[in-house]
Structures are given as structure tokens and as C-alpha cells.
Amino acid sequence: MVDVAIVGTGHSKFGNRTDVNLQELAWEAVKRALEESNLDQKDIDMFVVGNAGGWSSEPLSAIVIGEYCNLAPKGTMRVEAACATGSAALRIAYQAIKSGDAKMAMVIGVEQMHQSPNPVAVEMMGRAGNYFWEFENFGLTFPGYYGLYATRRMAKFGMKEEDLGQIAIKNHYYGSFNPYAMFQKQIKMDEYMKSRVVAYPLKVYDACPITDGAAAIILASEEVAKKITDSPVWIVSQGFKSGTANLSKRDDFISIDAARLAAEEAYKKAKIDFENSWKYFDVADVHDCFTIAEIMAYEDLGFAKRGEGHLLAREEQTYIGGKIPVNVDGGLKAKGHPIGATGVSMAVSITRQLLYRAHKGTQVEVKNGMGIAHNVGGTGHYAYVTIFSTKKPSV
């Protein structure tokens, strides 16, 4: 099997991007990825578009993007896996190169959620749970889902609202240094505690925003990558798993089993010890759609023991200089969460971190040359864990 490297990255400004249409937004990221790698559209063998859609105007997003970005007639498809859509698109391109079907592929993640009013976007996401038993009859939307996780963990493990607040404060702090981030304002604990409750105990500052944005990466086989750059970032492994649509069919509300299983799969391929996984990585991007999701991610990735994830937040161990820097690009919480772009944005952030190209104030110290991205779709319906390294994967 062929080893796969990232040779180019691109990223748009995240936010309310009604100044452009969907394909123009995608082009902002595509153009930068091509420029960074000194490549032209003709060099790309295929492109995969991650776009959840539903709230935007273009149902055939891959086609309009390919036309506008001058990527047609190269082969393409639109991929959807809820909030993990970007990582699912990465999976398709990664596997195409690994199998030898392509030598160079572009992954484009894009979403323009503000093409619909916020209540419509919230409803469309709410329908992504179990429609009949949860959304239609009981009115659950995603703040409610993650509120269930938070209240259960407060009761079982003694987690406090302030522990959730520490996640929000950290991610807003790093978002303030990220020019791509939707929110570039730092917050304090008193602001967090006074913010409006959305679904107890989750408040406005616990939730990621509805966001427009795009990100792109260019993948290449080892043979091609060596001709393009002397600093490739390799995809070491990727694990992906799924969960039930109906939360009542899960064992408990304290973790996301699909994410833990995906991590175990990725770690096994990369020969990483789950119990000491944090020692292998210089940086992590995890799916903090709500602050409680980041705390669960700490445990599902092995950074903390079960029930102790909130202690990492309480002790500020996930800042730069701590045990394991997490979401130092601002995360979904401050950078934003344009559904289809999020997983690709994570790949861009980790790649730039490992190459010392992160924004001032967000750069970690790279000792191991490894980073990890954790991308969850829905409330654990999909989960992707991807490991990146500056070192070529061992056989």
C-alpha cells in the first residue's frame, strides 16, 4: 500500500460569509492550497467535496465547485457524514491514493449555513439525530443532546459548570490569535457564568456557532510528494466507527463509544499505547461542538482516565505548555463549525502546526512530530480519528 502525504493546505475566513456564494467560498481555500504547493488544477487526479448541505442553495455542490474552481472534468463526489463530513471526504481521497487509484487528490470541505435562517439550520441539524423518537416527538436538538451528556457527567463524576467554562475560555483565548476564526474575542469566567442558558447546564458560551467557511488539502502519494515538497506531513493512520441513531440504544451518556473505538483503531495501526497516548502527540484538534464534547474527547482519546477529563480542563493542562495542547486554533467553539469544512480545517491546523506554520500565539513546540484530529458526526453517529506525522509511517 502507498504512503500518503499532505503537500498543500488552504483555509478561508470562517464566519458569516454571505459576501460570497458557495463556490466562491470554496475557491478561497482551493486557491491557497494550490499556491502553497505550487500546483495547478491539471495536476489533480480527483477531488472530493465534503458538504453536508440541506440548508444551502446548491444540492450538487461538488459539481458547481468543480466548475468554478476549474477542476472539472476530474472525477468527484459529494461526501456527507454530518459534522464529520470533512474527515469522511479525507478518508475517500486518502484511500484512493493508498490503493493506487490516484496519485494526487484534493479534499475540499465547505459549508454556507447562513444561506438559511438560524432556526432552519438548527432544525436541520436536530433532524440528524433520531427523527421520530427524539426530534419529532420530544423536540431534542443538539444543545439538548449534549446537555444530557453534561448533566450525567456532573452527577456521576462531580464535574462543575466552571469546568465547562475553562474549555470555553481556553478556546476563545486561542481563537483571538487566529485570523481565520469566527470569534476573536477572549472571555472571562464571570462572562461565561452569566451567559444565557441554552440547554442546562450548557450556555451560549458552551456552544459552537453556526458558521460559513471552507478548507482544502492536497494529498499525494510518496512518489509524487517527494517531487513537490521537502516537508510533507504524512497521514499515519485513520480509524472510523459509527454509533446508533437513537441515544436510548446506547449504554450510557458519559462518553462517545464510536470515538473511542475509532481512536483504538487508529492507535493500533500506528502502534500507539492508548493509556499513554498523550505522550505521542504534540497537538490535538478535537470536536468541541459543545464544551462537554471536548471533555469527553480527552477520555475517548486516552488523554485522561474515564471520569477525569474535566480535571484536565480544571488544571489548564490542555493549553500550550501543558500535558497536551488541544484546540489551540480556537476549536469549533471559537474558530467556528461550518459542518462540511470542519474535518478538513482540522487537517489544515495540524499540518501547519507540525511544520511550524501556525499563527503567532498558537504555535506549539513540536517534539514528536505527531498530531491528532478527532472529528465526531452528530452525537456520536460517526467518528473519525486521524493521526498525522512529519515522519514517514513505519511498515
Short mmCIF file of all heavy atoms in Angstrom, two decimals, residues 46-51 60-63 74-80 88-89 92-93 96 106 108:
data_model
loop_
_atom_site.label_atom_id
_atom_site.label_comp_id
_atom_site.label_asym_id
_atom_site.label_seq_id
_atom_site.Cartn_x
_atom_site.Cartn_y
_atom_site.Cartn_z
N MET A 46 -8.16 13.78 -8.84
CA MET A 46 -9.56 13.71 -8.41
C MET A 46 -9.76 14.70 -7.28
O MET A 46 -8.79 15.13 -6.64
CB MET A 46 -9.91 12.30 -7.93
CG MET A 46 -9.14 11.85 -6.70
SD MET A 46 -9.63 10.23 -6.05
CE MET A 46 -11.21 10.64 -5.30
N PHE A 47 -11.01 15.07 -7.03
CA PHE A 47 -11.30 15.93 -5.89
C PHE A 47 -12.57 15.45 -5.21
O PHE A 47 -13.51 14.99 -5.86
CB PHE A 47 -11.38 17.41 -6.29
CG PHE A 47 -12.52 17.77 -7.20
CD1 PHE A 47 -13.67 18.40 -6.71
CD2 PHE A 47 -12.45 17.52 -8.57
CE1 PHE A 47 -14.71 18.75 -7.55
CE2 PHE A 47 -13.49 17.87 -9.42
CZ PHE A 47 -14.62 18.49 -8.91
N VAL A 48 -12.57 15.54 -3.90
CA VAL A 48 -13.70 15.11 -3.09
C VAL A 48 -14.20 16.30 -2.29
O VAL A 48 -13.41 17.02 -1.68
CB VAL A 48 -13.30 13.98 -2.12
CG1 VAL A 48 -14.51 13.45 -1.37
CG2 VAL A 48 -12.60 12.84 -2.87
N VAL A 49 -15.50 16.53 -2.32
CA VAL A 49 -16.09 17.67 -1.63
C VAL A 49 -16.90 17.19 -0.43
O VAL A 49 -17.81 16.38 -0.57
CB VAL A 49 -16.99 18.49 -2.58
CG1 VAL A 49 -17.72 19.59 -1.81
CG2 VAL A 49 -16.16 19.08 -3.71
N GLY A 50 -16.53 17.69 0.74
CA GLY A 50 -17.29 17.44 1.96
C GLY A 50 -18.27 18.58 2.16
O GLY A 50 -17.87 19.73 2.37
N ASN A 51 -19.56 18.28 2.06
CA ASN A 51 -20.59 19.32 2.18
C ASN A 51 -21.88 18.66 2.65
O ASN A 51 -22.46 17.85 1.93
CB ASN A 51 -20.80 20.02 0.84
CG ASN A 51 -21.91 21.05 0.86
OD1 ASN A 51 -22.92 20.89 0.17
ND2 ASN A 51 -21.74 22.10 1.63
N LEU A 60 -25.96 20.03 -5.70
CA LEU A 60 -24.85 19.35 -6.37
C LEU A 60 -23.58 20.16 -6.17
O LEU A 60 -22.95 20.65 -7.12
CB LEU A 60 -25.16 19.17 -7.86
CG LEU A 60 -26.45 18.41 -8.18
CD1 LEU A 60 -26.61 18.25 -9.69
CD2 LEU A 60 -26.48 17.04 -7.51
N SER A 61 -23.20 20.29 -4.91
CA SER A 61 -22.11 21.19 -4.55
C SER A 61 -20.78 20.82 -5.21
O SER A 61 -20.02 21.69 -5.62
CB SER A 61 -21.94 21.24 -3.03
OG SER A 61 -21.81 19.93 -2.49
N ALA A 62 -20.47 19.53 -5.31
CA ALA A 62 -19.20 19.13 -5.91
C ALA A 62 -19.10 19.57 -7.36
O ALA A 62 -18.02 19.96 -7.84
CB ALA A 62 -19.03 17.61 -5.81
N ILE A 63 -20.23 19.56 -8.05
CA ILE A 63 -20.23 19.92 -9.47
C ILE A 63 -20.03 21.42 -9.66
O ILE A 63 -19.19 21.86 -10.46
CB ILE A 63 -21.53 19.46 -10.14
CG1 ILE A 63 -21.68 17.93 -10.02
CG2 ILE A 63 -21.57 19.89 -11.60
CD1 ILE A 63 -20.51 17.14 -10.56
N LYS A 74 -12.24 16.39 -13.83
CA LYS A 74 -11.70 15.37 -12.94
C LYS A 74 -12.83 14.72 -12.13
O LYS A 74 -13.83 15.35 -11.81
CB LYS A 74 -10.66 15.98 -11.99
CG LYS A 74 -9.50 16.67 -12.71
CD LYS A 74 -8.71 15.70 -13.59
CE LYS A 74 -7.65 16.39 -14.43
NZ LYS A 74 -6.58 16.97 -13.64
N GLY A 75 -12.64 13.46 -11.77
CA GLY A 75 -13.67 12.74 -11.03
C GLY A 75 -13.92 13.33 -9.66
O GLY A 75 -12.99 13.83 -9.01
N THR A 76 -15.18 13.29 -9.24
CA THR A 76 -15.52 13.90 -7.96
C THR A 76 -16.74 13.24 -7.35
O THR A 76 -17.41 12.41 -7.97
CB THR A 76 -15.79 15.42 -8.14
OG1 THR A 76 -15.91 16.01 -6.85
CG2 THR A 76 -17.07 15.66 -8.93
N MET A 77 -17.04 13.63 -6.14
CA MET A 77 -18.26 13.23 -5.44
C MET A 77 -18.46 14.16 -4.27
O MET A 77 -17.51 14.81 -3.80
CB MET A 77 -18.16 11.79 -4.92
CG MET A 77 -17.12 11.59 -3.83
SD MET A 77 -16.80 9.87 -3.45
CE MET A 77 -15.81 9.43 -4.88
N ARG A 78 -19.71 14.26 -3.80
CA ARG A 78 -20.00 14.95 -2.55
C ARG A 78 -20.13 13.91 -1.46
O ARG A 78 -20.82 12.90 -1.63
CB ARG A 78 -21.30 15.75 -2.64
CG ARG A 78 -21.64 16.50 -1.35
CD ARG A 78 -22.97 17.22 -1.45
NE ARG A 78 -24.10 16.32 -1.35
CZ ARG A 78 -24.70 15.95 -0.22
NH1 ARG A 78 -24.23 16.37 0.94
NH2 ARG A 78 -25.73 15.14 -0.23
N VAL A 79 -19.48 14.13 -0.32
CA VAL A 79 -19.49 13.21 0.80
C VAL A 79 -20.21 13.86 1.97
O VAL A 79 -20.05 15.06 2.21
CB VAL A 79 -18.05 12.83 1.21
CG1 VAL A 79 -18.04 11.94 2.43
CG2 VAL A 79 -17.35 12.13 0.05
N GLU A 80 -20.99 13.08 2.70
CA GLU A 80 -21.69 13.60 3.88
C GLU A 80 -21.59 12.61 5.02
O GLU A 80 -21.84 11.42 4.85
CB GLU A 80 -23.17 13.84 3.55
CG GLU A 80 -24.01 14.32 4.73
CD GLU A 80 -24.51 13.18 5.62
OE1 GLU A 80 -24.97 12.16 5.07
OE2 GLU A 80 -24.40 13.32 6.86
N ALA A 88 -14.64 12.45 6.52
CA ALA A 88 -15.10 11.40 5.62
C ALA A 88 -14.59 11.67 4.20
O ALA A 88 -14.18 10.75 3.48
CB ALA A 88 -16.62 11.32 5.63
N ALA A 89 -14.61 12.94 3.79
CA ALA A 89 -14.07 13.30 2.47
C ALA A 89 -12.57 13.00 2.41
O ALA A 89 -12.06 12.49 1.41
CB ALA A 89 -14.33 14.77 2.19
N ILE A 92 -11.97 9.28 1.79
CA ILE A 92 -12.14 8.84 0.41
C ILE A 92 -10.87 9.12 -0.40
O ILE A 92 -10.37 8.25 -1.12
CB ILE A 92 -13.35 9.52 -0.24
CG1 ILE A 92 -14.64 9.15 0.50
CG2 ILE A 92 -13.44 9.17 -1.72
CD1 ILE A 92 -15.01 7.70 0.44
N ALA A 93 -10.35 10.34 -0.30
CA ALA A 93 -9.15 10.71 -1.06
C ALA A 93 -7.94 9.93 -0.59
O ALA A 93 -7.11 9.49 -1.39
CB ALA A 93 -8.91 12.21 -0.93
N ALA A 96 -8.10 6.45 -1.95
CA ALA A 96 -7.86 6.43 -3.40
C ALA A 96 -6.37 6.43 -3.71
O ALA A 96 -5.90 5.70 -4.59
CB ALA A 96 -8.55 7.62 -4.07
N MET A 106 -7.41 16.24 -4.20
CA MET A 106 -7.75 17.41 -3.38
C MET A 106 -9.01 17.11 -2.56
O MET A 106 -9.96 16.52 -3.08
CB MET A 106 -7.97 18.65 -4.25
CG MET A 106 -8.40 19.88 -3.45
SD MET A 106 -8.53 21.38 -4.45
CE MET A 106 -6.80 21.82 -4.59
N ILE A 108 -11.86 19.08 -0.40
CA ILE A 108 -12.44 20.41 -0.16
C ILE A 108 -13.61 20.25 0.80
O ILE A 108 -14.55 19.51 0.54
CB ILE A 108 -12.96 21.03 -1.48
CG1 ILE A 108 -11.87 21.07 -2.54
CG2 ILE A 108 -13.52 22.44 -1.22
CD1 ILE A 108 -12.39 21.32 -3.94
#
